[in-house]
Amino acid sequence: MNFYTLKTDMIKALSIVSFSLLVTACGGGDVESNPPKQQDPQSDEYTGPAPATEDIQKYKTALWDNISTTDKCGACHTVGNQAPYFANREDVNDAYSATNPLVDLTNPGNSRLVEKVEGGHNCWLASDSACGETMEQWIKLWSDDRVSQANTIELTAPVIREPGSSKNFPDDPSLFNSHVYPLVSQYCVDCHNESSDFAQSPFFASNDIDQAYQAAKQVINLDDPAQSRLVVRLGSEFHNCWSNCQSDSMEMLNAITAFSDEIAVDAISPEMVISKSLRLTDGITASSGGRFESDIIALYQFKTGEGNIAYDTSGISPAANLTLTGDVEWLGSWGLSFTNGKAQASTASSKKLLDLITSTGEFSVEAWVTPNNVVQEGPARIVTYSAGDNDRNFMLGQTQYNYDFSLRTQDSNTNGDPALSTPDADEVLQATLQHVVITYNATQGRRIYVNGNLIEVTDQDIAPLTAWDDSYALILGREASNQHVWQGDMRLLAVYNRVLTSEQIQQNYDVGVGEKFFLLFSVSELIELPNSYVMFEVSQFDNYSYLFSGASLVNIDGSSLSSSLPLKGIRIGLNGKESIHGQAYANLDLTINGGQSLATPMSLSSLGTIIGLEKGASQDEFFLAFEQIGEHTNVSVPGEFISPDEVPSSSETAQIGLRNFAEINHTMSSLTGVNQANSKVFDTYQLVKRQLPSIENIETFISAQQMGVTQLAIAYCDSAIEDTNIRNSWFPDVDFNQPPANALSAAERGNLLNPLINRMIPLNLANQPDTSDVYNELDSLVTRLSVCDGACSAERTRTIAKASCAAVLASAVVVVQ
């Protein structure tokens, strides 16, 4: 029963263009007395000459078999149609000759074939980028060990931008509310509102103006309103116009322009010593290369960035594309963020996993994940190949600080139990970006690797794979039943039908994940050495921030410093002002000796820092400000420090306090009637006891304590609702054998909520929340939790009762005294 995840959800709720190629004329030759059989271009079966070499055979199976079909390149690039004839279905050897000029086997991503489909030329999918990724993967499968493993990056001079005046979104949403929100809240609410039947992010039409404003920032361009996505989607992409697309687009443009016109310009102070500026997309793509991807059978890099499909770009057919449902968002730096949703492949396409894994008897699953927290239970499903709560072929899950690996073998049950888990005391799983790999074969059994390291845990139940079920589906984020929700980000997922070695796992960990750029901030004028740059590796960390790391000084001409260079106090600027957060390099103070070669980047700092995203990756403009660089100085004066003796005294103290850990436990026991010795309650209390408030001063209260309170409340409510006597005593008029649609319908809902409120808020105190307000909040919660992809089961009714109970029991009613 996935009670915690439901509770967590509740808390979060509270052109086609020809190839331009040089074609050489064919020479003369003997006429064959027995020409090969003419290939039917509509047939998928190849009947022409056999591949002449081993490489042509590899080319055929990896690339040609895929691109020569009529739904792809075979519709045009065949003999008698459009040259070059790289999809020639009469002779694969001729096709091989025509294809070679179009591919780069050491760097498949630079291939002409990739560039064309990625640019929209005859893409067979709904996403051009997914077509490009798939084409690249097919070429990789052909090129094999010829793929370059080099990690070197060629640094080239970037675009030179002068840091200029910029407009920034005000903190207050009033201007947005006056000009733009009236349009989006009227015409976009059917989709871009989180409570709509067809909810689709971003939620700039949310009923919550603050949430709507935050979402709208990503689709509004203050400096050039005509380039705002809200305007372009209407005028150029004809997206959900409400009358005439051109007039609707103009109406939106006028609203955004009016919004922008009332915002003051942030100008850079002339006293500041600054570099040239850059946008993220001005950087050099920091593609490390060198990932080990042999034997890959499913690959998700999540580069599409929009829509409801995450594409399998492994190049192995059939593509097990994932359909996104529920609360799943795309990450700007490649990835998916799961809150209360899932990504699921069809059972038909998932079957390739069964076929290819059972043919070898071994496999590996590799994922880059960032769990939202370390209190998820269930186990919460990160990746599962299953049919429901108790039927699966394999699963990677989370239980608090542990990763769990369930696998169906001859000695396990149908759920893949017992699971192999990382040790409790080691707290291996952390709420940060981690590289996780699970592997299995019949000799080593199951293994778990985290950040390149093999976790010391022995599989006690090594057994061969049993007959897996081909009716199961590959799912990310939660179970097929929509239970056991996992909350977190996933940036890459790969499935192999071989065991990865520790060296291969370390190799992929070292390469890293996500879209990264090298930003070269020009300081040539400041140090009087042409083509000199302070360089950072920058990525969009999530939908709200950027990660800066690897600060270094480099000269792309390979020149050296003629004299010593003092360098002090680097600050990161954003959109015309210094960022108020993340100034990790402000204390930098060093002198670089004269004669120092800058041919290779010289490290300035090993620190990394987070800078808040404001306008989005395509609009935010960065620059660097220096306290000193060479002869240029601009001393930053810190704010006035008030000594403790000078802090104004106050006789005012908080009039309320906190219940401490023992009092909270006792109060919850009294309210629910569940004995403190109850095993589930006792174990949870011992787990979170040190996380609960230890003193009654409310000024010491932190969010981690609230999470502990919530966990304990969940344990009490779970135990109470699962106890038939307590449940029937509390809710005599609720039929828990019925699904929510019946038991908790609008007409029957009071039978649950009124007794619950009377029990959990027994005192009628003036400083307590109004019971009608509590009822309305719980009513809204029950409405949200009663929505399932299919029909909710009767078990869901009990789960909703537990969530409602915990919502009150973990509130200030209990915590505050």
Side-chain angles (χ1 to χ4, degrees):
M1 191 177 303
N2 183 22
F3 177 60
Y4 166 73
T5 51
L6 286 173
K7 167 63 178 172
T8 303
D9 178 44
M10 178 278 298
I11 294 173
K12 198 162 184 178
L14 288 161
S15 169
I16 292 176
V17 180
S18 299
F19 285 105
S20 178
L21 297 171
L22 183 63
V23 181
T24 55
C26 297
D30 296 332
V31 176
E32 296 183 48
S33 57
N34 294 298
K37 179 181 177 180
Q38 182 74 15
Q39 173 72 20
D40 180 0
Q42 302 302 319
S43 172
D44 287 334
E45 180 184 0
Y46 174 67
T47 58
T53 67
E54 182 179 342
D55 191 48
I56 298 176
Q57 175 63 36
K58 186 181 292 187
Y59 154 79
K60 178 183 183 297
T61 57
L63 178 62
W64 185 85
D65 282 349
N66 289 298
I67 66 174
S68 64
T69 57
T70 55
D71 62 329
K72 300 183 182 72
C73 308
C76 298
H77 293 280
T78 56
V79 176
N81 289 312
Q82 183 176 323
Y85 305 136
F86 59 86
N88 180 1
R89 293 194 59 81
E90 297 178 10
D91 191 333
V92 69
N93 302 285
D94 290 345
Y96 173 82
S97 299
T99 304
N100 270 291
L102 309 178
V103 297
D104 183 339
L105 295 180
T106 59
N107 194 342
N110 290 340
S111 299
R112 182 66 172 155
L113 288 178
V114 174
E115 294 174 355
K116 291 296 287 185
V117 297
E118 200 168 51
H121 179 86
N122 203 32
C123 174
W124 58 94
L125 299 171
S127 167
D128 295 342
S129 64
C131 280
E133 292 171 50
T134 305
M135 183 69 79
E136 180 180 355
Q137 191 65 27
W138 285 334
I139 299 171
K140 280 184 180 179
L141 294 172
W142 168 26
S143 60
D144 199 7
D145 56 356
R146 289 169 292 197
V147 175
S148 173
Q149 301 295 311
N151 292 323
T152 57
I153 301 294
E154 182 181 357
L155 300 180
T156 57
V159 59
I160 297 296
R161 298 180 186 274
E162 295 292 340
S165 299
S166 179
K167 290 185 177 181
N168 292 289
F169 289 97
D171 294 333
D172 192 305
S174 298
L175 291 177
F176 169 75
N177 191 26
S178 298
H179 298 291
V180 182
Y181 188 66
L183 285 180
V184 297
S185 61
Q186 179 178 0
Y187 299 117
C188 307
V189 70
D190 288 343
C191 295
H192 296 282
N193 181 294
E194 66 275 19
S195 61
S196 72
D197 292 337
F198 306 99
Q200 182 174 339
S201 64
F203 300 128
F204 50 77
S206 171
N207 295 330
D208 185 329
I209 187 63
D210 292 321
Q211 181 176 345
Y213 184 44
Q214 292 302 318
K217 290 178 180 180
Q218 312 307 315
V219 290
I220 292 177
N221 188 325
L222 293 176
D223 299 314
D224 188 357
Q227 295 303 313
S228 300
R229 286 296 293 164
L230 288 175
V231 176
V232 173
R233 290 285 275 166
L234 291 166
S236 301
E237 301 176 11
F238 318 112
H239 175 78
N240 286 351
C241 307
W242 53 88
S243 57
N244 175 275
C245 285
Q246 295 307 313
S247 62
D248 295 346
S249 177
M250 184 58 65
E251 187 176 358
M252 185 67 74
L253 173 59
N254 291 337
I256 296 175
T257 301
F259 174 31
S260 176
D261 286 346
E262 292 192 40
I263 298 175
V265 171
D266 288 327
I268 296 176
S269 171
E271 288 80 19
M272 294 176 68
V273 178
I274 58 176
S275 69
K276 303 302 182 183
S277 65
L278 293 166
R279 295 193 179 104
L280 189 64
T281 50
D282 294 329
I284 300 167
T285 302
S287 174
S288 299
R291 268 185 56 82
F292 180 86
E293 291 185 346
S294 295
D295 306 309
I296 202 164
I297 60 175
L299 176 64
Y300 307 90
Q301 301 180 80
F302 308 116
K303 294 182 179 181
T304 306
E306 61 182 0
N308 67 340
I309 297 177
Y311 292 94
D312 169 12
T313 57
S314 64
I316 304 300
S317 296
N321 299 329
L322 303 169
T323 299
L324 313 183
T325 58
D327 195 351
V328 184
E329 293 187 35
W330 290 94
L331 294 173
S333 51
W334 302 343
L336 292 176
S337 181
F338 294 87
T339 300
N340 186 18
K342 65 180 178 180
Q344 180 171 337
S346 68
T347 56
S349 61
S350 298
K351 184 177 179 294
K352 77 169 178 179
L353 302 181
L354 180 150
D355 293 339
L356 296 174
I357 290 174
T358 56
S359 66
T360 61
E362 59 183 83
F363 71 100
S364 303
V365 178
E366 173 192 16
W368 280 93
V369 297
T370 307
N372 275 5
N373 53 61
V374 293
V375 295
Q376 302 187 61
E377 300 274 9
R381 307 318 199 230
I382 303 175
V383 183
T384 183
Y385 183 15
S386 58
D389 292 355
N390 302 304
D391 299 281
R392 74 196 64 262
N393 293 329
F394 69 77
M395 179 199 70
L396 169 64
Q398 174 185 352
T399 301
Q400 296 185 6
Y401 286 98
N402 294 340
Y403 287 107
D404 305 303
F405 181 6
S406 296
L407 179 65
R408 190 171 182 177
T409 67
Q410 290 182 5
D411 290 350
S412 75
N413 61 19
T414 59
N415 198 36
D417 293 329
L420 180 72
S421 301
T422 55
D424 291 343
D426 291 358
E427 298 186 351
V428 171
L429 184 149
Q430 294 291 325
T432 187
L433 181 62
Q434 293 187 312
H435 181 242
V436 186
V437 180
I438 56 174
T439 68
Y440 163 83
N441 62 22
T443 56
Q444 298 173 330
R446 292 170 291 181
R447 291 185 171 185
I448 303 175
Y449 297 78
V450 178
N451 293 343
N453 299 313
L454 174 63
I455 304 304
E456 294 298 330
V457 55
T458 303
D459 190 352
Q460 302 291 346
D461 299 287
I462 301 176
L465 298 179
T466 189
W468 281 9
D469 196 313
D470 63 6
S471 68
Y472 294 177
L474 179 67
I475 309 170
L476 283 57
R478 63 184 181 190
E479 190 50 81
S481 63
N482 294 324
Q483 304 298 309
H484 307 293
V485 175
W486 177 73
Q487 296 185 322
D489 300 341
M490 183 175 294
R491 296 181 175 275
L492 180 142
L493 174 66
V495 183
Y496 307 75
N497 69 335
R498 293 289 182 186
V499 164
L500 295 180
T501 66
S502 58
E503 292 80 13
Q504 292 160 350
I505 292 170
Q506 184 67 48
Q507 177 182 335
N508 286 358
Y509 172 62
D510 291 341
V511 168
V513 71
E515 186 178 29
K516 296 172 286 186
F517 299 90
F518 287 119
L519 292 190
L520 280 71
F521 295 93
S522 177
V523 293
S524 301
E525 295 178 0
L526 299 175
I527 67 174
E528 299 181 355
L529 185 63
N531 282 325
S532 295
Y533 305 89
V534 172
M535 182 174 75
F536 284 89
E537 183 176 303
V538 184
S539 61
Q540 188 175 337
F541 185 69
D542 53 27
N543 287 344
Y544 309 98
S545 61
Y546 302 97
L547 173 62
F548 278 66
S549 62
S552 60
L553 183 65
V554 66
N555 182 280
I556 63 175
D557 294 334
S559 301
S560 302
L561 291 172
S562 58
S563 59
S564 61
L565 177 70
L567 188 57
K568 182 178 181 180
I570 300 179
R571 289 177 169 81
I572 300 172
L574 180 64
N575 300 326
K577 62 185 183 305
E578 289 184 3
S579 173
I580 61 174
H581 302 296
Q583 298 297 2
Y585 311 102
N587 294 324
L588 185 71
D589 189 357
L590 54 84
T591 299
I592 305 171
N593 296 328
Q596 172 69 49
S597 173
L598 302 178
T600 57
M602 175 189 171
S603 177
L604 299 177
S605 173
S606 60
L607 297 176
T609 191
I610 298 293
I611 299 296
L613 180 149
E614 292 186 353
K615 302 178 183 179
S618 62
Q619 298 182 50
D620 281 333
E621 187 174 279
F622 308 98
F623 65 92
L624 303 179
F626 304 88
E627 287 191 21
Q628 182 178 10
I629 181 170
E631 299 178 350
H632 304 272
T633 61
N634 177 42
V635 177
S636 178
V637 179
E640 181 183 357
F641 174 72
I642 302 176
S643 69
D645 293 339
E646 297 173 352
V647 175
S649 60
S650 175
S651 59
E652 295 183 6
T653 58
Q655 299 300 306
I656 57 177
L658 296 173
R659 286 186 172 92
N660 63 32
F661 56 92
E663 292 170 330
I664 291 173
N665 190 34
H666 180 77
T667 302
M668 289 185 176
S669 176
S670 297
L671 289 175
T672 61
V674 175
N675 195 293
Q676 296 179 37
N678 174 281
S679 60
K680 180 175 292 184
V681 166
F682 180 82
D683 290 346
T684 303
Y685 180 61
Q686 295 303 315
L687 179 67
V688 304
K689 180 177 179 181
R690 288 182 297 175
Q691 192 175 334
L692 299 175
S694 59
I695 61 177
E696 298 181 351
N697 187 349
I698 198 168
E699 295 178 0
T700 67
F701 189 69
I702 59 176
S703 58
Q705 293 174 336
Q706 180 62 58
M707 185 57 70
V709 172
T710 300
Q711 286 183 265
L712 187 58
I714 289 168
Y716 271 107
C717 290
D718 186 32
S719 299
I721 302 302
E722 287 301 317
D723 186 308
T724 305
N725 293 328
I726 295 178
R727 186 175 69 235
N728 291 339
S729 173
W730 287 15
F731 313 112
D733 298 321
V734 177
D735 186 352
F736 285 93
N737 295 315
Q738 294 293 320
N742 298 329
L744 302 178
S745 65
E748 303 291 335
R749 194 164 297 176
N751 294 333
L752 172 73
L753 300 185
N754 287 323
L756 180 63
I757 294 172
N758 292 336
R759 171 167 290 276
M760 296 300 168
I761 313 179
L763 302 178
N764 186 18
L765 302 178
N767 59 354
Q768 286 188 167
D770 186 85
T771 56
S772 62
D773 293 335
V774 177
Y775 186 99
N776 292 336
E777 285 292 333
L778 293 176
D779 183 63
S780 178
L781 172 63
V782 174
T783 298
R784 292 196 301 273
L785 297 184
S786 298
V787 176
C788 305
D789 287 350
C792 292
S793 66
E795 182 182 15
R796 184 81 163 193
T797 301
R798 294 202 309 275
T799 301
I800 293 173
K802 297 172 187 177
S804 303
C805 168
V808 184
L809 194 59
S811 71
V813 170
V814 169
V815 178
V816 174
Q817 65 176 3

